[in-house]
Coordinates of all heavy atoms in Angstrom, one line a residue:
P309 N -28.5 17.5 -6.0 CA -27.5 17.4 -7.1 C -27.4 15.9 -7.6 O -27.7 15.0 -6.8 CB -26.2 17.9 -6.5 CG -26.4 17.7 -5.1 CD -27.8 17.9 -4.8
E310 N -26.9 15.7 -8.8 CA -26.7 14.4 -9.3 C -25.5 13.7 -8.5 O -24.5 14.4 -8.2 CB -26.4 14.4 -10.8 CG -26.2 13.1 -11.5 CD -25.9 13.2 -12.9 OE1 -26.2 14.2 -13.5 OE2 -25.2 12.2 -13.4
V311 N -25.6 12.4 -8.3 CA -24.5 11.8 -7.6 C -23.5 11.1 -8.5 O -23.9 10.4 -9.5 CB -25.1 10.7 -6.6 CG1 -24.0 9.7 -6.1 CG2 -25.8 11.4 -5.4
L312 N -22.2 11.3 -8.3 CA -21.2 10.5 -9.0 C -20.5 9.6 -8.0 O -19.8 10.1 -7.1 CB -20.1 11.5 -9.6 CG -20.6 12.4 -10.7 CD1 -19.4 13.3 -11.1 CD2 -21.0 11.6 -11.9
V313 N -20.7 8.3 -8.1 CA -20.1 7.4 -7.1 C -18.7 7.0 -7.6 O -18.6 6.5 -8.8 CB -21.0 6.1 -6.9 CG1 -20.3 5.1 -6.0 CG2 -22.4 6.5 -6.4
C314 N -17.7 7.2 -6.8 CA -16.3 6.9 -7.2 C -15.7 5.9 -6.2 O -15.4 6.3 -5.1 CB -15.5 8.2 -7.2 SG -16.1 9.5 -8.2
P315 N -15.5 4.7 -6.6 CA -14.9 3.7 -5.8 C -13.4 4.0 -5.7 O -12.8 4.5 -6.6 CB -15.1 2.4 -6.4 CG -16.0 2.7 -7.6 CD -15.9 4.1 -7.9
M316 N -12.7 3.6 -4.6 CA -11.3 3.7 -4.5 C -10.8 2.6 -3.6 O -10.9 2.6 -2.4 CB -10.9 5.0 -3.9 CG -9.4 5.3 -4.1 SD -8.9 6.9 -3.4 CE -7.3 7.0 -4.0
F317 N -10.1 1.6 -4.3 CA -9.5 0.5 -3.5 C -8.3 0.0 -4.3 O -8.2 0.3 -5.5 CB -10.5 -0.7 -3.3 CG -11.3 -1.1 -4.5 CD1 -10.8 -2.1 -5.3 CD2 -12.5 -0.6 -4.8 CE1 -11.5 -2.5 -6.4 CE2 -13.3 -1.0 -5.9 CZ -12.8 -1.9 -6.7
A318 N -7.4 -0.8 -3.6 CA -6.1 -1.1 -4.2 C -6.3 -1.9 -5.5 O -5.5 -1.7 -6.4 CB -5.3 -1.9 -3.2
A319 N -7.3 -2.8 -5.6 CA -7.4 -3.6 -6.8 C -7.9 -2.9 -8.0 O -7.9 -3.4 -9.2 CB -8.3 -4.8 -6.5
L320 N -8.4 -1.6 -7.8 CA -9.0 -0.8 -8.9 C -7.8 -0.4 -9.8 O -6.8 0.1 -9.3 CB -9.7 0.4 -8.3 CG -10.7 1.1 -9.2 CD1 -11.9 0.2 -9.5 CD2 -11.2 2.4 -8.4
P321 N -8.0 -0.5 -11.1 CA -6.9 0.0 -12.0 C -6.6 1.5 -11.7 O -7.5 2.3 -11.3 CB -7.5 -0.1 -13.4 CG -8.6 -1.2 -13.3 CD -9.1 -1.0 -11.9
S322 N -5.3 1.9 -11.8 CA -4.9 3.2 -11.4 C -5.6 4.3 -12.1 O -5.8 5.4 -11.5 CB -3.3 3.3 -11.6 OG -3.0 3.1 -13.0
Q323 N -6.0 4.1 -13.4 CA -6.7 5.2 -14.0 C -8.1 5.5 -13.4 O -8.6 6.6 -13.4 CB -6.8 5.0 -15.6 CG -7.9 4.1 -16.0 CD -7.4 2.6 -16.0 OE1 -6.5 2.3 -15.3 NE2 -8.1 1.8 -16.7
H324 N -8.7 4.4 -12.9 CA -10.0 4.6 -12.2 C -9.7 5.2 -10.8 O -10.6 6.0 -10.3 CB -10.7 3.2 -12.1 CG -11.2 2.7 -13.4 ND1 -12.1 3.3 -14.1 CD2 -10.8 1.6 -14.1 CE1 -12.3 2.7 -15.2 NE2 -11.5 1.6 -15.3
Q325 N -8.6 4.8 -10.1 CA -8.3 5.4 -8.8 C -8.2 6.9 -9.0 O -8.6 7.7 -8.2 CB -7.0 4.8 -8.3 CG -7.2 3.4 -7.7 CD -5.9 3.0 -7.0 OE1 -5.0 3.8 -6.7 NE2 -5.8 1.7 -6.8
M326 N -7.5 7.3 -10.1 CA -7.2 8.7 -10.3 C -8.5 9.6 -10.6 O -8.5 10.8 -10.5 CB -6.2 8.9 -11.4 CG -4.8 8.4 -11.1 SD -4.1 9.3 -9.6 CE -2.7 8.3 -9.3
K327 N -9.6 8.9 -10.9 CA -10.8 9.6 -11.2 C -11.3 10.4 -9.9 O -12.0 11.4 -10.1 CB -11.9 8.7 -11.7 CG -11.8 8.3 -13.1 CD -12.9 7.3 -13.5 CE -12.8 6.9 -15.0 NZ -13.8 5.9 -15.4
V328 N -11.0 9.9 -8.8 CA -11.5 10.5 -7.5 C -10.9 11.9 -7.4 O -11.4 12.8 -6.7 CB -11.2 9.7 -6.3 CG1 -11.8 8.3 -6.4 CG2 -9.7 9.6 -5.9
F329 N -9.7 12.2 -8.0 CA -9.0 13.5 -7.9 C -9.6 14.5 -8.9 O -9.1 15.7 -8.8 CB -7.5 13.3 -8.1 CG -6.9 12.3 -7.1 CD1 -6.4 11.1 -7.5 CD2 -6.7 12.7 -5.8 CE1 -5.8 10.2 -6.6 CE2 -6.2 11.8 -4.9 CZ -5.7 10.6 -5.3
I330 N -10.5 14.1 -9.7 CA -11.1 15.1 -10.7 C -12.3 15.7 -10.0 O -13.2 15.0 -9.5 CB -11.6 14.4 -12.0 CG1 -10.4 13.7 -12.7 CG2 -12.2 15.4 -12.9 CD1 -10.7 12.8 -13.8
S331 N -12.3 17.1 -9.9 CA -13.4 17.8 -9.3 C -14.7 17.5 -9.9 O -14.8 17.3 -11.1 CB -13.1 19.3 -9.3 OG -12.0 19.6 -8.6
A332 N -15.8 17.4 -9.1 CA -17.1 17.1 -9.6 C -17.6 18.3 -10.4 O -17.4 19.5 -10.0 CB -18.1 16.8 -8.5
P333 N -18.3 18.0 -11.6 CA -18.8 19.2 -12.3 C -19.9 19.9 -11.5 O -20.4 19.4 -10.6 CB -19.5 18.5 -13.5 CG -18.9 17.1 -13.6 CD -18.5 16.7 -12.2
I334 N -20.1 21.1 -11.9 CA -21.1 22.0 -11.2 C -22.5 21.2 -11.2 O -22.9 20.7 -12.3 CB -21.2 23.4 -11.8 CG1 -19.9 24.1 -11.6 CG2 -22.4 24.2 -11.2 CD1 -19.8 25.4 -12.4
G335 N -23.1 21.2 -10.1 CA -24.5 20.6 -10.0 C -24.4 19.1 -9.7 O -25.4 18.4 -9.7
K336 N -23.2 18.6 -9.5 CA -23.0 17.1 -9.2 C -22.2 17.0 -7.9 O -21.4 17.9 -7.5 CB -22.3 16.4 -10.3 CG -23.1 16.4 -11.6 CD -22.4 15.6 -12.7 CE -23.3 15.6 -14.0 NZ -22.7 14.7 -15.0
R337 N -22.4 15.9 -7.2 CA -21.7 15.6 -5.9 C -21.0 14.3 -6.0 O -21.7 13.3 -6.4 CB -22.7 15.6 -4.7 CG -22.0 15.6 -3.4 CD -22.9 15.1 -2.2 NE -24.1 15.9 -2.1 CZ -24.2 17.1 -1.4 NH1 -23.2 17.6 -0.9 NH2 -25.4 17.7 -1.3
K338 N -19.7 14.3 -5.7 CA -19.0 13.0 -5.6 C -19.3 12.3 -4.3 O -19.3 12.9 -3.3 CB -17.5 13.2 -5.8 CG -17.0 13.4 -7.1 CD -15.4 13.3 -7.2 CE -14.8 14.4 -6.3 NZ -13.3 14.4 -6.4
V339 N -19.5 11.0 -4.4 CA -19.5 10.1 -3.2 C -18.4 9.1 -3.4 O -18.5 8.2 -4.2 CB -20.9 9.4 -3.0 CG1 -20.8 8.5 -1.8 CG2 -22.0 10.4 -2.8
I340 N -17.3 9.3 -2.6 CA -16.1 8.5 -2.8 C -16.2 7.4 -1.7 O -16.4 7.6 -0.5 CB -14.8 9.3 -2.6 CG1 -14.7 10.4 -3.6 CG2 -13.6 8.4 -2.7 CD1 -14.9 11.8 -3.0
L341 N -16.2 6.1 -2.2 CA -16.2 5.0 -1.3 C -14.8 4.3 -1.3 O -14.4 3.8 -2.4 CB -17.3 4.0 -1.8 CG -18.7 4.5 -2.1 CD1 -19.6 3.5 -2.6 CD2 -19.3 5.2 -0.8
A342 N -14.1 4.4 -0.2 CA -12.7 4.1 -0.2 C -12.4 3.2 0.9 O -13.0 3.2 2.0 CB -11.9 5.4 -0.1
T343 N -11.3 2.4 0.7 CA -10.7 1.7 1.8 C -9.7 2.6 2.5 O -9.7 3.8 2.2 CB -9.9 0.5 1.3 OG1 -8.9 0.9 0.4 CG2 -10.8 -0.5 0.6
N344 N -8.9 2.1 3.4 CA -7.9 3.0 4.1 C -6.8 3.5 3.2 O -5.9 4.2 3.6 CB -7.3 2.3 5.3 CG -6.6 1.0 4.9 OD1 -6.7 0.5 3.8 ND2 -5.8 0.5 5.8
I345 N -6.9 3.2 1.9 CA -6.0 3.8 0.9 C -6.1 5.3 0.9 O -5.2 6.0 0.5 CB -6.3 3.2 -0.5 CG1 -5.1 3.5 -1.5 CG2 -7.6 3.7 -1.1 CD1 -5.3 2.8 -2.9
A346 N -7.3 5.8 1.3 CA -7.5 7.3 1.2 C -7.3 7.9 2.6 O -7.6 9.1 2.8 CB -9.0 7.5 0.8
E347 N -6.7 7.2 3.5 CA -6.5 7.8 4.9 C -5.4 8.8 5.0 O -5.5 9.8 5.8 CB -6.1 6.6 5.9 CG -7.3 6.1 6.6 CD -6.9 4.9 7.5 OE1 -5.8 4.9 7.9 OE2 -7.8 4.1 7.8
T348 N -4.4 8.7 4.2 CA -3.2 9.5 4.5 C -2.7 10.2 3.2 O -2.8 9.8 2.1 CB -2.0 8.6 5.0 OG1 -1.7 7.6 4.1 CG2 -2.4 8.0 6.3
S349 N -2.1 11.4 3.5 CA -1.3 12.2 2.5 C -2.1 12.7 1.3 O -1.9 13.9 0.9 CB -0.1 11.4 2.0 OG 0.9 11.3 3.0
I350 N -2.9 11.9 0.7 CA -3.6 12.4 -0.5 C -4.7 13.3 -0.2 O -5.4 13.2 0.8 CB -4.2 11.2 -1.4 CG1 -5.2 10.4 -0.6 CG2 -3.0 10.3 -1.9 CD1 -5.8 9.3 -1.4
T351 N -4.9 14.3 -1.0 CA -6.0 15.3 -0.9 C -7.0 15.0 -2.1 O -6.6 15.1 -3.2 CB -5.5 16.7 -1.0 OG1 -4.7 17.0 0.2 CG2 -6.7 17.7 -0.9
I352 N -8.2 14.7 -1.7 CA -9.3 14.4 -2.7 C -10.1 15.7 -2.8 O -10.7 16.1 -1.9 CB -10.2 13.2 -2.4 CG1 -9.3 12.0 -2.3 CG2 -11.3 13.1 -3.4 CD1 -10.1 10.7 -1.8
P353 N -10.0 16.4 -4.0 CA -10.7 17.7 -4.1 C -12.2 17.6 -3.8 O -12.8 16.7 -4.2 CB -10.5 18.1 -5.6 CG -9.3 17.3 -6.0 CD -9.3 16.0 -5.2
G354 N -12.7 18.6 -3.1 CA -14.1 18.7 -2.9 C -14.7 18.1 -1.7 O -15.8 18.3 -1.3
V355 N -13.9 17.2 -1.0 CA -14.4 16.5 0.2 C -14.7 17.4 1.3 O -13.8 18.2 1.8 CB -13.5 15.4 0.6 CG1 -13.9 14.8 1.9 CG2 -13.4 14.3 -0.4
K356 N -15.9 17.4 1.8 CA -16.3 18.3 3.0 C -16.9 17.4 4.1 O -16.8 17.7 5.3 CB -17.4 19.3 2.5 CG -17.8 20.2 3.6 CD -18.8 21.2 3.1 CE -19.3 22.2 4.2 NZ -18.2 23.1 4.7

Side-chain angles (χ1 to χ4, degrees):
E310 186 183 333
V311 166
L312 294 176
V313 178
C314 302
M316 193 179 189
F317 49 87
L320 200 66
S322 57
Q323 80 273 19
H324 292 295
Q325 285 185 18
M326 291 301 171
K327 283 182 181 177
V328 304
F329 299 109
I330 301 170
S331 298
I334 294 171
K336 297 186 179 183
R337 190 197 305 276
K338 278 190 302 186
V339 175
I340 301 111
L341 308 179
T343 59
N344 58 345
I345 195 174
E347 265 179 21
T348 58
S349 286
I350 59 174
T351 297
I352 300 174
V355 171
K356 185 176 177 67

